Each structure stands twice: as structure tokens, then as C-alpha cells.
Amino acid sequence: NAGVTQTPKFQVLKTGQSMTLQCAQDMNHNSMYWYRQDPGMGLRLIYYSASEGTTDKGEVPNGYNVSRLNKREFSLRLESAAPSQTSVYFCASSERTVMNTGELFFGEGSRLTVL
Amino acid sequence: TQLLEQSPQFLSIQEGENLTVYCNSSSVFSSLQWYRQEPGEGPVLLVTVVTGGEVKKLKRLTFQFGDARKDSSLHITAAQPGDTGLYLCAGVETRGYNKLIFGAGTRLAVHP
């Protein structure tokens, strides 16, 4: 089972460049999330989509945009990359919302370096 | 935003030792989850606790949710090298924002 698939796994950008991280899940989950993980700071929520057609900001949305393309896919876009966006990005999905103690299923992560 | 503080940040022990990891907040969470993350992979759920005072066991791992639902602990008995990893606690906010707030994690290394 593929679960949650993220692409690319590694990317190096120059300051000011743009890119899109792709995420797809094959578990028919309603909710999808984008997190970033930085040393000593744990996972911080960037954006989430409780259901197809809706998106909401998380803790650290500045500098990012998202698109819930359909029920399976949720992409994260960096319009003008900055060194502060160097991080490991994780996409996750859940069948139920976290308010209903939904378990998050994570992808393997995308390691982004901005020079 | 409610904050979750985990301690210790790092733990290096010998195989067979016992250990406890703590997850504390000044705020109340409606539920709390524990995840384990191995290098190069995403976190994987270990357990969810919902009720204040709840205790759940997963083989040699014992999870407890504080009575006031502000803190949680993870106790590992007779640790093994396979327990090595990053342990993350995550709480569900009570304000209806439908989000998990993660602690910074405890990095555990168990040496043979």
C-alpha cells in the first residue's frame, strides 16, 4: 500500500525561486495536512484541508499557498523561496478530523534547502 | 496557540534500562497522541489517549494521560535497540480548530 506519497523527496532552490510540493493519498481520507519539521521545534502545521474544497491556515502559513486539487491530492507552493523555508516538509492525511481523534498518516517527507 | 513541552530532549541509555518521557502543557487538550519517527520517515501513531487518567499499554510501552488532561507520559520498560527513534506527543486543541499541536520530541538512543 502506497499510503501518502510526496514528491520530490529532495530539492535545492535558490532564494526567490518557486516550487510546488506534491502530495497524494490513496486511503480515501477526507482531511489532509502540510507540516514542516525543524530541529528543536517539532512539527508545525502550515495549512490543512478538512475536506475536499476547503483549506485553512495553520500556525505558520506565511510564504506558502496550498491547493486541494481533489480528494486525493493536496499541494504546497512556495512562491518566492527564502532560506528560512529550509526544512523537512511532511504531508499527512486522516480519515476523521483530529477533533474526532483521527490518526494522522504521514508521507516520508520532502527535504528542501533554500540557498 | 497551546504549547506542548517534552522532556528530556535527548536520552541515551543501555539496553534493558527503563525510561520515562514527559509531555506537559499549561492548557487542556481534548485528546493526546504519541508518535514515533525513525530517520528518513514520517511519524507513525503509537497511541491516542482521550480520558483524563487513562492508561494504555502497548507491549513494553505504557502511556498515561494526566487527570486534568494537561500532561502525558510514556514509560518504556526494558528498552531495546529497536525502540530507538524520535518520540513525539501531539495534543488536539480544545478551541475547535481541528489541529494537532506537536511537542518538539524526545530523541531516544538505546545501545546494545
Side-chain angles (χ1 to χ4, degrees):
Chain A
N1 291 337
V4 178
T5 304
Q6 293 180 230
T7 56
K9 287 187 169 41
F10 299 95
Q11 184 73 48
V12 179
L13 291 177
K14 294 182 180 178
T15 297
Q17 287 185 319
S18 62
M19 76 158 299
T20 299
L21 298 176
Q22 306 285 356
C23 175
Q25 52 93 7
D26 61 3
M27 296 172 282
N28 201 36
H29 286 170
N30 287 313
S31 300
M32 296 187 74
Y33 311 80
W34 275 106
Y35 284 88
R36 60 178 288 174
Q37 186 173 36
D38 302 291
M41 301 189 73
L43 286 154
R44 291 181 293 169
L45 183 64
I46 305 170
Y47 271 93
Y48 69 102
S49 172
S51 61
E52 186 179 356
T54 68
T55 60
D56 287 286
K57 295 179 180 180
E59 301 170 69
V60 289
N62 291 344
Y64 305 96
N65 284 302
V66 291
S67 295
R68 184 74 183 268
L69 303 170
N70 47 55
K71 191 172 185 178
R72 290 187 63 248
E73 299 173 286
F74 189 38
S75 63
L76 177 71
R77 182 160 178 85
L78 287 70
E79 291 292 351
S80 179
S84 61
Q85 294 178 304
T86 293
S87 187
V88 181
Y89 292 84
F90 286 95
C91 178
S93 69
S94 64
E95 180 179 356
R96 303 188 304 275
T97 64
V98 292
M99 284 298 291
N100 292 301
T101 65
E103 171 185 359
L104 291 185
F105 291 83
F106 286 86
E108 294 185 336
S110 298
R111 185 174 295 275
L112 175 66
T113 301
V114 183
L115 302 175
Chain B
T1 302
Q2 298 165 312
L3 296 177
L4 274 172
E5 294 185 0
Q6 285 190 243
S7 60
Q9 273 189 292
F10 301 96
L11 201 50
S12 180
I13 61 173
Q14 294 297 124
E15 183 176 0
E17 292 184 22
N18 302 331
L19 67 116
T20 302
V21 174
Y22 299 94
C23 178
N24 295 298
S25 175
S26 59
S27 302
V28 176
F29 290 94
S30 59
S31 66
L32 195 134
Q33 300 179 349
W34 284 92
Y35 289 80
R36 182 169 68 201
Q37 183 179 16
E38 300 190 19
E41 299 182 7
V44 176
L45 181 70
L46 295 173
V47 76
T48 300
V49 286
V50 179
T51 306
E54 183 176 3
V55 176
K56 282 192 173 179
K57 292 190 175 183
L58 188 66
K59 296 183 181 178
R60 295 174 293 98
L61 278 61
T62 302
F63 304 84
Q64 184 162 8
F65 202 12
D67 291 341
R69 291 185 289 130
K70 293 182 178 182
D71 55 86
S72 181
S73 63
L74 158 60
H75 182 78
I76 301 179
T77 303
Q80 299 178 0
D83 295 326
T84 293
L86 179 67
Y87 289 82
L88 297 159
C89 65
V92 177
E93 291 191 307
T94 56
R95 291 177 292 179
Y97 292 151
N98 195 34
K99 293 178 288 188
L100 273 178
I101 302 298
F102 280 83
T106 293
R107 190 165 297 280
L108 171 65
V110 182
H111 304 284

PDB file of all heavy atoms in Angstrom, chain A residues 51-76:
ATOM      1  N   SER A  51     -11.670  18.954   4.311  1.00  0.00           N
ATOM      2  CA  SER A  51     -12.392  18.161   3.315  1.00  0.00           C
ATOM      3  C   SER A  51     -12.121  18.757   1.942  1.00  0.00           C
ATOM      4  O   SER A  51     -11.612  19.883   1.826  1.00  0.00           O
ATOM      5  CB  SER A  51     -13.890  18.159   3.606  1.00  0.00           C
ATOM      6  OG  SER A  51     -14.402  19.478   3.556  1.00  0.00           O
ATOM      7  N   GLU A  52     -12.460  18.013   0.922  1.00  0.00           N
ATOM      8  CA  GLU A  52     -12.250  18.484  -0.448  1.00  0.00           C
ATOM      9  C   GLU A  52     -12.961  19.818  -0.643  1.00  0.00           C
ATOM     10  O   GLU A  52     -14.110  19.977  -0.259  1.00  0.00           O
ATOM     11  CB  GLU A  52     -12.801  17.444  -1.416  1.00  0.00           C
ATOM     12  CG  GLU A  52     -12.528  17.747  -2.859  1.00  0.00           C
ATOM     13  CD  GLU A  52     -13.076  16.659  -3.775  1.00  0.00           C
ATOM     14  OE1 GLU A  52     -13.588  15.643  -3.257  1.00  0.00           O
ATOM     15  OE2 GLU A  52     -12.989  16.832  -5.006  1.00  0.00           O
ATOM     16  N   GLY A  53     -12.234  20.787  -1.189  1.00  0.00           N
ATOM     17  CA  GLY A  53     -12.833  22.077  -1.468  1.00  0.00           C
ATOM     18  C   GLY A  53     -12.610  23.123  -0.391  1.00  0.00           C
ATOM     19  O   GLY A  53     -12.981  24.285  -0.563  1.00  0.00           O
ATOM     20  N   THR A  54     -11.997  22.717   0.736  1.00  0.00           N
ATOM     21  CA  THR A  54     -11.733  23.679   1.807  1.00  0.00           C
ATOM     22  C   THR A  54     -10.272  23.632   2.207  1.00  0.00           C
ATOM     23  O   THR A  54      -9.646  22.574   2.223  1.00  0.00           O
ATOM     24  CB  THR A  54     -12.577  23.391   3.061  1.00  0.00           C
ATOM     25  OG1 THR A  54     -12.120  22.163   3.654  1.00  0.00           O
ATOM     26  CG2 THR A  54     -14.040  23.277   2.727  1.00  0.00           C
ATOM     27  N   THR A  55      -9.720  24.798   2.525  1.00  0.00           N
ATOM     28  CA  THR A  55      -8.369  24.875   3.077  1.00  0.00           C
ATOM     29  C   THR A  55      -8.355  25.943   4.158  1.00  0.00           C
ATOM     30  O   THR A  55      -9.115  26.922   4.081  1.00  0.00           O
ATOM     31  CB  THR A  55      -7.314  25.235   2.005  1.00  0.00           C
ATOM     32  OG1 THR A  55      -7.626  26.506   1.429  1.00  0.00           O
ATOM     33  CG2 THR A  55      -7.245  24.186   0.902  1.00  0.00           C
ATOM     34  N   ASP A  56      -7.493  25.751   5.147  1.00  0.00           N
ATOM     35  CA  ASP A  56      -7.376  26.702   6.255  1.00  0.00           C
ATOM     36  C   ASP A  56      -5.930  26.848   6.667  1.00  0.00           C
ATOM     37  O   ASP A  56      -5.131  25.911   6.527  1.00  0.00           O
ATOM     38  CB  ASP A  56      -8.196  26.236   7.465  1.00  0.00           C
ATOM     39  CG  ASP A  56      -9.681  26.392   7.244  1.00  0.00           C
ATOM     40  OD1 ASP A  56     -10.152  27.545   7.296  1.00  0.00           O
ATOM     41  OD2 ASP A  56     -10.345  25.374   7.006  1.00  0.00           O
ATOM     42  N   LYS A  57      -5.613  28.030   7.213  1.00  0.00           N
ATOM     43  CA  LYS A  57      -4.253  28.291   7.660  1.00  0.00           C
ATOM     44  C   LYS A  57      -3.967  27.560   8.965  1.00  0.00           C
ATOM     45  O   LYS A  57      -4.849  27.405   9.805  1.00  0.00           O
ATOM     46  CB  LYS A  57      -4.043  29.793   7.862  1.00  0.00           C
ATOM     47  CG  LYS A  57      -4.142  30.599   6.580  1.00  0.00           C
ATOM     48  CD  LYS A  57      -3.959  32.085   6.874  1.00  0.00           C
ATOM     49  CE  LYS A  57      -4.062  32.895   5.586  1.00  0.00           C
ATOM     50  NZ  LYS A  57      -3.899  34.359   5.832  1.00  0.00           N
ATOM     51  N   GLY A  58      -2.695  27.166   9.113  1.00  0.00           N
ATOM     52  CA  GLY A  58      -2.241  26.595  10.363  1.00  0.00           C
ATOM     53  C   GLY A  58      -1.434  27.615  11.146  1.00  0.00           C
ATOM     54  O   GLY A  58      -1.720  28.807  11.107  1.00  0.00           O
ATOM     55  N   GLU A  59      -0.394  27.129  11.838  1.00  0.00           N
ATOM     56  CA  GLU A  59       0.424  28.005  12.675  1.00  0.00           C
ATOM     57  C   GLU A  59       1.355  28.914  11.887  1.00  0.00           C
ATOM     58  O   GLU A  59       1.624  30.035  12.278  1.00  0.00           O
ATOM     59  CB  GLU A  59       1.308  27.160  13.605  1.00  0.00           C
ATOM     60  CG  GLU A  59       0.593  26.231  14.540  1.00  0.00           C
ATOM     61  CD  GLU A  59       1.595  25.310  15.205  1.00  0.00           C
ATOM     62  OE1 GLU A  59       2.393  25.795  16.033  1.00  0.00           O
ATOM     63  OE2 GLU A  59       1.596  24.100  14.895  1.00  0.00           O
ATOM     64  N   VAL A  60       1.915  28.386  10.776  1.00  0.00           N
ATOM     65  CA  VAL A  60       2.972  29.098  10.053  1.00  0.00           C
ATOM     66  C   VAL A  60       2.674  29.173   8.559  1.00  0.00           C
ATOM     67  O   VAL A  60       3.424  28.654   7.734  1.00  0.00           O
ATOM     68  CB  VAL A  60       4.354  28.442  10.318  1.00  0.00           C
ATOM     69  CG1 VAL A  60       4.820  28.704  11.735  1.00  0.00           C
ATOM     70  CG2 VAL A  60       4.302  26.940  10.016  1.00  0.00           C
ATOM     71  N   PRO A  61       1.595  29.847   8.136  1.00  0.00           N
ATOM     72  CA  PRO A  61       1.212  29.846   6.723  1.00  0.00           C
ATOM     73  C   PRO A  61       1.941  30.850   5.826  1.00  0.00           C
ATOM     74  O   PRO A  61       1.890  30.736   4.598  1.00  0.00           O
ATOM     75  CB  PRO A  61      -0.278  30.213   6.792  1.00  0.00           C
ATOM     76  CG  PRO A  61      -0.351  31.117   7.995  1.00  0.00           C
ATOM     77  CD  PRO A  61       0.650  30.559   8.977  1.00  0.00           C
ATOM     78  N   ASN A  62       2.629  31.833   6.435  1.00  0.00           N
ATOM     79  CA  ASN A  62       3.223  32.899   5.633  1.00  0.00           C
ATOM     80  C   ASN A  62       4.277  32.358   4.671  1.00  0.00           C
ATOM     81  O   ASN A  62       5.174  31.627   5.062  1.00  0.00           O
ATOM     82  CB  ASN A  62       3.838  33.961   6.540  1.00  0.00           C
ATOM     83  CG  ASN A  62       2.782  34.734   7.298  1.00  0.00           C
ATOM     84  OD1 ASN A  62       1.602  34.701   6.953  1.00  0.00           O
ATOM     85  ND2 ASN A  62       3.192  35.406   8.357  1.00  0.00           N
ATOM     86  N   GLY A  63       4.167  32.774   3.394  1.00  0.00           N
ATOM     87  CA  GLY A  63       5.121  32.343   2.383  1.00  0.00           C
ATOM     88  C   GLY A  63       4.700  31.092   1.643  1.00  0.00           C
ATOM     89  O   GLY A  63       5.418  30.625   0.761  1.00  0.00           O
ATOM     90  N   TYR A  64       3.534  30.553   1.991  1.00  0.00           N
ATOM     91  CA  TYR A  64       3.053  29.312   1.379  1.00  0.00           C
ATOM     92  C   TYR A  64       1.628  29.490   0.855  1.00  0.00           C
ATOM     93  O   TYR A  64       0.863  30.290   1.372  1.00  0.00           O
ATOM     94  CB  TYR A  64       3.029  28.171   2.399  1.00  0.00           C
ATOM     95  CG  TYR A  64       4.331  27.905   3.090  1.00  0.00           C
ATOM     96  CD1 TYR A  64       4.595  28.471   4.337  1.00  0.00           C
ATOM     97  CD2 TYR A  64       5.282  27.060   2.529  1.00  0.00           C
ATOM     98  CE1 TYR A  64       5.793  28.220   4.990  1.00  0.00           C
ATOM     99  CE2 TYR A  64       6.486  26.799   3.180  1.00  0.00           C
ATOM    100  CZ  TYR A  64       6.731  27.385   4.408  1.00  0.00           C
ATOM    101  OH  TYR A  64       7.910  27.124   5.057  1.00  0.00           O
ATOM    102  N   ASN A  65       1.303  28.694  -0.152  1.00  0.00           N
ATOM    103  CA  ASN A  65      -0.068  28.561  -0.624  1.00  0.00           C
ATOM    104  C   ASN A  65      -0.351  27.085  -0.853  1.00  0.00           C
ATOM    105  O   ASN A  65       0.579  26.302  -1.082  1.00  0.00           O
ATOM    106  CB  ASN A  65      -0.293  29.323  -1.937  1.00  0.00           C
ATOM    107  CG  ASN A  65      -0.388  30.811  -1.697  1.00  0.00           C
ATOM    108  OD1 ASN A  65      -1.228  31.274  -0.944  1.00  0.00           O
ATOM    109  ND2 ASN A  65       0.512  31.556  -2.323  1.00  0.00           N
ATOM    110  N   VAL A  66      -1.625  26.715  -0.773  1.00  0.00           N
ATOM    111  CA  VAL A  66      -1.984  25.314  -0.977  1.00  0.00           C
ATOM    112  C   VAL A  66      -3.146  25.207  -1.953  1.00  0.00           C
ATOM    113  O   VAL A  66      -3.893  26.165  -2.165  1.00  0.00           O
ATOM    114  CB  VAL A  66      -2.379  24.613   0.348  1.00  0.00           C
ATOM    115  CG1 VAL A  66      -1.175  24.437   1.254  1.00  0.00           C
ATOM    116  CG2 VAL A  66      -3.504  25.366   1.038  1.00  0.00           C
ATOM    117  N   SER A  67      -3.258  24.019  -2.511  1.00  0.00           N
ATOM    118  CA  SER A  67      -4.395  23.699  -3.381  1.00  0.00           C
ATOM    119  C   SER A  67      -4.845  22.279  -3.076  1.00  0.00           C
ATOM    120  O   SER A  67      -4.028  21.358  -3.103  1.00  0.00           O
ATOM    121  CB  SER A  67      -4.003  23.793  -4.863  1.00  0.00           C
ATOM    122  OG  SER A  67      -3.670  25.100  -5.225  1.00  0.00           O
ATOM    123  N   ARG A  68      -6.138  22.139  -2.759  1.00  0.00           N
ATOM    124  CA  ARG A  68      -6.708  20.790  -2.634  1.00  0.00           C
ATOM    125  C   ARG A  68      -7.309  20.484  -3.993  1.00  0.00           C
ATOM    126  O   ARG A  68      -8.435  20.869  -4.310  1.00  0.00           O
ATOM    127  CB  ARG A  68      -7.778  20.758  -1.538  1.00  0.00           C
ATOM    128  CG  ARG A  68      -8.346  19.362  -1.292  1.00  0.00           C
ATOM    129  CD  ARG A  68      -7.396  18.482  -0.554  1.00  0.00           C
ATOM    130  NE  ARG A  68      -7.872  17.134  -0.353  1.00  0.00           N
ATOM    131  CZ  ARG A  68      -8.538  16.717   0.717  1.00  0.00           C
ATOM    132  NH1 ARG A  68      -8.779  17.560   1.712  1.00  0.00           N
ATOM    133  NH2 ARG A  68      -8.924  15.463   0.805  1.00  0.00           N
ATOM    134  N   LEU A  69      -6.553  19.798  -4.799  1.00  0.00           N
ATOM    135  CA  LEU A  69      -6.899  19.589  -6.200  1.00  0.00           C
ATOM    136  C   LEU A  69      -8.108  18.671  -6.344  1.00  0.00           C
ATOM    137  O   LEU A  69      -8.947  18.851  -7.226  1.00  0.00           O
ATOM    138  CB  LEU A  69      -5.695  18.999  -6.927  1.00  0.00           C
ATOM    139  CG  LEU A  69      -4.414  19.863  -6.826  1.00  0.00           C
ATOM    140  CD1 LEU A  69      -3.210  19.107  -7.365  1.00  0.00           C
ATOM    141  CD2 LEU A  69      -4.606  21.180  -7.554  1.00  0.00           C
ATOM    142  N   ASN A  70      -8.170  17.672  -5.501  1.00  0.00           N
ATOM    143  CA  ASN A  70      -9.292  16.739  -5.453  1.00  0.00           C
ATOM    144  C   ASN A  70      -9.167  16.007  -4.120  1.00  0.00           C
ATOM    145  O   ASN A  70      -8.338  16.389  -3.285  1.00  0.00           O
ATOM    146  CB  ASN A  70      -9.244  15.762  -6.648  1.00  0.00           C
ATOM    147  CG  ASN A  70      -7.863  15.180  -6.841  1.00  0.00           C
ATOM    148  OD1 ASN A  70      -7.284  14.601  -5.911  1.00  0.00           O
ATOM    149  ND2 ASN A  70      -7.300  15.351  -8.033  1.00  0.00           N
ATOM    150  N   LYS A  71      -9.942  14.970  -3.911  1.00  0.00           N
ATOM    151  CA  LYS A  71      -9.897  14.321  -2.607  1.00  0.00           C
ATOM    152  C   LYS A  71      -8.527  13.703  -2.348  1.00  0.00           C
ATOM    153  O   LYS A  71      -8.071  13.608  -1.211  1.00  0.00           O
ATOM    154  CB  LYS A  71     -10.986  13.246  -2.513  1.00  0.00           C
ATOM    155  CG  LYS A  71     -11.177  12.714  -1.100  1.00  0.00           C
ATOM    156  CD  LYS A  71     -12.390  11.803  -1.009  1.00  0.00           C
ATOM    157  CE  LYS A  71     -12.616  11.390   0.438  1.00  0.00           C
ATOM    158  NZ  LYS A  71     -13.821  10.532   0.581  1.00  0.00           N
ATOM    159  N   ARG A  72      -7.831  13.253  -3.374  1.00  0.00           N
ATOM    160  CA  ARG A  72      -6.558  12.553  -3.223  1.00  0.00           C
ATOM    161  C   ARG A  72      -5.356  13.481  -3.060  1.00  0.00           C
ATOM    162  O   ARG A  72      -4.386  13.114  -2.412  1.00  0.00           O
ATOM    163  CB  ARG A  72      -6.297  11.674  -4.456  1.00  0.00           C
ATOM    164  CG  ARG A  72      -7.168  10.473  -4.613  1.00  0.00           C
ATOM    165  CD  ARG A  72      -6.676   9.617  -5.771  1.00  0.00           C
ATOM    166  NE  ARG A  72      -5.336   9.087  -5.535  1.00  0.00           N
ATOM    167  CZ  ARG A  72      -4.246   9.437  -6.211  1.00  0.00           C
ATOM    168  NH1 ARG A  72      -4.305  10.359  -7.155  1.00  0.00           N
ATOM    169  NH2 ARG A  72      -3.078   8.893  -5.941  1.00  0.00           N
ATOM    170  N   GLU A  73      -5.402  14.668  -3.667  1.00  0.00           N
ATOM    171  CA  GLU A  73      -4.183  15.455  -3.816  1.00  0.00           C
ATOM    172  C   GLU A  73      -4.238  16.804  -3.107  1.00  0.00           C
ATOM    173  O   GLU A  73      -5.255  17.517  -3.172  1.00  0.00           O
ATOM    174  CB  GLU A  73      -3.915  15.667  -5.309  1.00  0.00           C
ATOM    175  CG  GLU A  73      -3.700  14.370  -6.080  1.00  0.00           C
ATOM    176  CD  GLU A  73      -3.612  14.623  -7.572  1.00  0.00           C
ATOM    177  OE1 GLU A  73      -4.652  14.906  -8.201  1.00  0.00           O
ATOM    178  OE2 GLU A  73      -2.481  14.546  -8.103  1.00  0.00           O
ATOM    179  N   PHE A  74      -3.115  17.141  -2.479  1.00  0.00           N
ATOM    180  CA  PHE A  74      -3.014  18.397  -1.726  1.00  0.00           C
ATOM    181  C   PHE A  74      -1.606  18.921  -1.941  1.00  0.00           C
ATOM    182  O   PHE A  74      -0.644  18.311  -1.493  1.00  0.00           O
ATOM    183  CB  PHE A  74      -3.283  18.107  -0.246  1.00  0.00           C
ATOM    184  CG  PHE A  74      -3.420  19.308   0.632  1.00  0.00           C
ATOM    185  CD1 PHE A  74      -4.060  20.463   0.212  1.00  0.00           C
ATOM    186  CD2 PHE A  74      -2.944  19.270   1.940  1.00  0.00           C
ATOM    187  CE1 PHE A  74      -4.214  21.559   1.041  1.00  0.00           C
ATOM    188  CE2 PHE A  74      -3.100  20.365   2.789  1.00  0.00           C
ATOM    189  CZ  PHE A  74      -3.728  21.510   2.344  1.00  0.00           C
ATOM    190  N   SER A  75      -1.464  20.040  -2.650  1.00  0.00           N
ATOM    191  CA  SER A  75      -0.140  20.537  -2.994  1.00  0.00           C
ATOM    192  C   SER A  75       0.204  21.775  -2.182  1.00  0.00           C
ATOM    193  O   SER A  75      -0.675  22.532  -1.755  1.00  0.00           O
ATOM    194  CB  SER A  75      -0.063  20.845  -4.492  1.00  0.00           C
ATOM    195  OG  SER A  75      -0.977  21.875  -4.815  1.00  0.00           O
ATOM    196  N   LEU A  76       1.496  21.972  -1.979  1.00  0.00           N
ATOM    197  CA  LEU A  76       2.021  23.114  -1.224  1.00  0.00           C
ATOM    198  C   LEU A  76       2.956  23.888  -2.140  1.00  0.00           C
ATOM    199  O   LEU A  76       3.889  23.322  -2.705  1.00  0.00           O
ATOM    200  CB  LEU A  76       2.797  22.619   0.006  1.00  0.00           C
ATOM    201  CG  LEU A  76       3.462  23.701   0.868  1.00  0.00           C
ATOM    202  CD1 LEU A  76       2.398  24.491   1.630  1.00  0.00           C
ATOM    203  CD2 LEU A  76       4.449  23.061   1.852  1.00  0.00           C
TER     204      LEU A  76
END
